[in-house]
């Protein structure tokens, strides 16, 4: 449960927000490096693109189900 709330909050704190990438943030630096490496654009499916998608819209239902399943199993195993 904490990860489902904490992960989007962490991504937002990096600068991946619903309004776009925040100026001067770690996200902006990541986007700049990705654009330089790709000749001026950020590739679809890249880490920057995925993080911005999560920052803008939150985690998809599939991602929530997957995280809940994986983290629940890990918690049970460690307990």
């Amino acid at each position: 449960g904490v990860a489902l709330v904490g992960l989007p909050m962490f991504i937002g704190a990096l600068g991946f927000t619903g309004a776009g990438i925040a100026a001067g943030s770690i996200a902006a630096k990541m986007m700049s490096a990705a654009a330089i490496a790709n000749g001026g654009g950020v590739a679809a499916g890249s880490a920057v693109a995925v993080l911005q998608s999560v920052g803008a819209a939150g985690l998809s239902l599939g991602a929530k189900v997957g995280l809940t399943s994986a983290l629940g199993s890990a918690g049970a195993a460690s307990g």
Side-chain angles (χ1 to χ4, degrees):
V2 172
L4 294 179
V5 174
L7 186 59
M9 288 178 60
F10 175 72
I11 290 171
L14 291 175
F16 297 99
T17 70
I21 292 180
S25 66
I26 292 171
K29 291 175 184 161
M30 289 174 66
M31 183 176 180
S32 175
I36 290 168
N38 290 308
V42 176
S46 68
V48 173
V50 170
L51 289 170
Q52 180 52 38
S53 177
V54 172
L59 294 172
S60 68
L61 178 60
K64 288 179 183 176
V65 169
L67 275 174
T68 301
S69 176
L71 295 174
S73 298
S78 68

